[in-house]
């Protein structure tokens, strides 16, 4: 492998992670990419793995310096991945990592980043040089549906998995947070549900980036969740990350035997046809209406996301409930 290139790429990505820790507000998301910061350790690992794979290919093709990387080089690399059966997501990961490095080092402007669509437009008429959009039709088909429409069109699937889907809807959980799929990432337990001052919460020990959180239950689903689970009454919910991590330490100790016996609420053996993101999307929209009602929509500093304007504190509360903690990412959830 081109050790020098790989070392330089890893150094740049590590520096962006350090910058991301110091940043007060993220600027990437649905509409605005940020190639100067990396905001989680998980994202750092994804970028580093993608960069390592690229460097192996680059070394075989005589590329050992960052200034040798061009759109043509990235395009040839993506076509190599495509030819060898790698998924569109692997290609996208490689593109994103390279864009991070090229923009951060000043070799490319933000407007000059490599995209598959730009490459295809530049090579129209040459089928052999076209990057295929694998699974794109399926993705767009899923996105055309709201959560309610999906449940209606997939009534039998929803009926067979109602407890799981409704729990996801109620607390805005990811698949990995609700279903136990890895020994390294603990999902929710029977005692993950707590009640404080009349509100119901679900404690997620390991969310995005390994961060724990308390997800607030939608008010319209509290009755159903209380029927399904027996929440513990607590006097207060920690809000600072240091305190939430301390809560997790205690939670992990209390559940050591449950973890050993895999006594999770849901295991990972669920249908791949279940759609979790659109349930989280519905959750975000319902919770935002609740927060606007509770906090007042027009008081405090205002924020507009996807043409929705309201109290910035409400946006932050929903972002925290989703596990992002960054309001710009809500753009992925506040449109159909």
């Amino acid at each position: 492998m081109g050790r020098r290139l790989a070392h330089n790429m890893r150094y740049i990505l590590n520096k962006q992670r350090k910058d991301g820790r110091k940043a007060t507000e993220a600027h990437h998301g649905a509409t605005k990419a940020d190639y100067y910061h990396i905001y989680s350790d998980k994202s750092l690992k994804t970028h580093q793995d993608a960069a390592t794979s690229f460097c192996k290919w680059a070394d075989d093709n005589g590329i050992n310096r960052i200034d040798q990387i061009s759109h043509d080089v990235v395009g040839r690399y993506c076509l190599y991945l495509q030819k060898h059966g790698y998924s569109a997501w692997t290609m996208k990961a490689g593109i994103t990592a390279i864009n991070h490095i090229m923009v951060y080092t000043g070799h490319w402007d933000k407007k000059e980043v490599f995209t598959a669509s730009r490459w295809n437009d530049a090579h129209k008429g040459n089928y052999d040089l076209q990057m295929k959009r694998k699974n794109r039709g399926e993705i767009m088909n899923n996105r055309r549906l709201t959560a309610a429409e999906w449940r209606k069109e997939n009534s039998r699937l929803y009926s067979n998995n109602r407890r799981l889907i409704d729990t996801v809807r109620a607390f805005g959980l990811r698949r990995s947070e609700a279903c136990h799929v890895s020994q390294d990432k603990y999902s929710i337990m029977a005692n993950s549900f707590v009640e404080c001052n009349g509100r119901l919460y679900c404690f997620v020990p390991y969310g995005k980036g390994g961060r724990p959180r308390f997800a607030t239950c939608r008010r319209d689903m509290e009755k159903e969740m209380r029927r399904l689970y027996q929440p513990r009454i607590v006097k207060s919910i920690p809000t600072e990350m240091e305190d939430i991590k301390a809560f997790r330490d205690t939670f992990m100790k209390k559940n050591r035997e449950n973890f050993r016996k895999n006594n999770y609420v849901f295991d990972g053996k669920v249908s791949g046809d279940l759609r979790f993101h659109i349930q989280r999307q519905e959750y975000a929209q319902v919770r935002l209406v609740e927060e606007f009602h509770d906090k007042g929509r027009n008081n405090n500093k205002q924020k507009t996301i996807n043409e929705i304007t309201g109290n910035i504190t409400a946006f932050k509360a929903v972002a925290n409930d989703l596990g992002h903690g960054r309001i710009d990412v809500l753009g992925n959830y506040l449109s159909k």
Side-chain angles (χ1 to χ4, degrees), residues 170-183:
F171 297 98
L173 304 179
R174 298 179 179 86
R175 179 192 294 264
S176 61
E177 296 168 346
C179 304
H180 178 58
V181 296
S182 170
Q183 292 294 337

Side-chain angles (χ1 to χ4, degrees), residues 30-284:
T31 59
K32 193 182 294 184
D34 181 349
Y35 297 109
Y36 297 96
H37 302 87
I38 296 174
Y39 295 98
S40 76
D41 292 336
K42 184 177 180 181
S43 294
L44 173 63
K45 186 179 187 307
T46 299
H47 293 323
Q48 287 181 332
D49 289 346
T52 298
S53 297
F54 169 75
C55 288
K56 291 178 181 177
W57 174 88
D59 188 46
D60 292 337
N61 288 270
I63 299 161
N64 49 46
R65 300 194 314 272
I66 290 176
D67 60 9
Q68 291 179 295
I69 300 173
S70 64
H71 277 215
D72 182 65
V73 168
V74 181
R76 287 192 288 120
Y77 173 62
C78 289
L79 292 174
Y80 163 82
L81 293 177
Q82 181 171 280
K83 180 180 178 181
H84 287 80
Y86 288 90
S87 71
W89 311 117
T90 300
M91 290 168 56
K92 184 178 184 297
I95 291 170
T96 302
I98 294 169
N99 282 337
H100 263 267
I101 291 162
M102 299 304 289
V103 173
Y104 190 83
T105 56
H107 287 88
W108 293 350
D109 183 83
K110 287 190 297 183
K111 297 179 181 178
E112 298 171 336
V113 296
F114 182 94
T115 66
S117 58
R118 189 174 294 169
W119 170 272
N120 285 344
D121 288 343
H123 297 85
K124 283 182 178 178
N126 191 334
Y127 178 80
D128 292 335
L129 294 180
Q130 291 293 299
M131 293 184 192
K132 299 177 178 61
R133 301 294 187 88
K134 296 181 180 179
N135 297 325
R136 189 65 59 184
E138 179 185 351
I139 293 167
M140 295 309 295
N141 183 57
N142 291 335
R143 286 185 177 177
R144 72 180 172 83
L145 299 176
T146 65
E149 289 168 345
W150 180 88
R151 294 192 298 273
K152 184 176 181 180
E153 286 195 11
N154 298 272
S155 58
R156 178 172 294 182
L157 186 62
Y158 171 51
S159 178
N160 292 338
N161 298 273
R162 180 155 189 159
R163 185 184 184 192
L164 170 59
I165 291 297
D166 282 358
T167 302
V168 168
R169 293 173 59 211
F171 297 98
L173 304 179
R174 298 179 179 86
R175 179 192 294 264
S176 61
E177 296 168 346
C179 304
H180 178 58
V181 296
S182 170
Q183 292 294 337
D184 299 324
K185 190 170 184 180
Y186 303 103
S187 58
I188 59 174
M189 312 291 292
N191 62 347
S192 292
F193 304 91
V194 299
E195 183 171 339
C196 181
N197 296 326
R199 287 307 302 262
L200 193 61
Y201 302 86
C202 178
F203 177 63
V204 179
Y206 288 94
K208 189 175 181 66
R211 295 185 298 270
R213 75 179 188 281
F214 286 89
T216 310
C217 184
R218 291 167 41 174
R219 282 198 174 94
D220 60 329
M221 298 191 73
E222 282 186 343
K223 183 177 180 180
E224 180 182 354
M225 291 300 106
R226 285 191 175 91
R227 180 179 60 81
L228 292 175
Y229 308 105
Q230 289 72 49
R232 295 179 293 120
I233 307 297
V234 297
K235 293 182 179 180
S236 62
I237 295 290
T239 56
E240 299 297 326
M241 183 53 65
E242 183 178 344
D243 297 328
I244 298 175
K245 287 182 177 180
F247 183 96
R248 179 174 65 186
D249 291 341
T250 303
F251 180 85
M252 299 293 283
K253 289 178 182 178
K254 289 182 177 179
N255 284 284
R256 187 173 296 147
E257 186 65 13
N258 286 328
F259 292 142
R260 189 182 69 81
K261 294 180 179 179
N262 288 332
N263 289 333
Y264 298 92
V265 178
F266 306 105
D267 63 29
K269 298 176 182 178
V270 297
S271 171
D273 293 328
L274 294 178
R275 295 291 173 254
F276 288 77
H277 182 77
I278 57 175
Q279 315 302 332
R280 276 167 54 80
Q281 186 178 45
E282 179 186 79
Y283 171 84

